[in-house]
Amino acid sequence: MFETGRIVGAGLGLDEMAAKLLDRLLADVAGATSASLLLYNPFGETWEIAGRTGGEGLDVETAADLVAAQSGRDLFQAKLDRYVLGVSLRGDAGDVFGYLLLEKAEGGPFSPQE
């Protein structure tokens, strides 16, 4: 929590802050091989990858299709060619503005401990 607060409070640009937060998240979640930050652009009504670390990760079209299929759920796990764990990011009004996506290339699905 402290390290995350330091990263957010450092006044970094979005790309650099996202990269540092995703690196931190990837290091803390055993089994995860990549992490992505997917943000909704309300002006273009599109999803965009704002940051990625680790392996190749999902392309924006696959990620957008995946979150659309989840109907705004806060937490989901899906199996594509690898397991994906998604956590919604919500604004003050409760609207979803993004997702943190973790991917696991090998083994079974993410466990509660991971």
Side-chain angles (χ1 to χ4, degrees):
M1 187 76 126
F2 174 77
E3 184 63 28
T4 300
R6 277 186 356 130
I7 294 168
V8 171
L12 306 171
L14 177 61
D15 291 343
E16 189 176 358
M17 181 178 62
K20 288 184 180 285
L21 288 171
L22 292 171
D23 283 341
R24 177 76 183 159
L25 183 62
L26 196 59
D28 288 343
V29 179
T33 55
S34 68
S36 301
L37 174 61
L38 183 70
L39 295 179
Y40 185 70
N41 178 345
F43 301 107
E45 297 183 353
T46 58
W47 290 96
E48 300 172 1
I49 300 286
R52 178 176 288 138
T53 192
E56 182 179 318
L58 298 175
D59 61 67
V60 69
E61 292 83 15
T62 303
D65 289 346
L66 181 60
V67 299
Q70 302 305 317
S71 303
R73 289 176 38 205
D74 286 331
L75 178 68
F76 65 85
Q77 187 157 191
K79 173 119 173 59
L80 303 173
D81 58 337
R82 56 195 163 244
Y83 284 94
V84 178
L85 179 67
V87 179
S88 68
L89 304 172
R90 294 183 177 268
D92 291 337
D95 54 318
V96 174
F97 67 86
Y99 280 89
L100 285 173
L101 301 172
L102 294 175
E103 298 172 58
K104 188 176 185 183
E106 297 178 359
F110 284 95
S111 68
Q113 295 79 16
E114 292 171 328

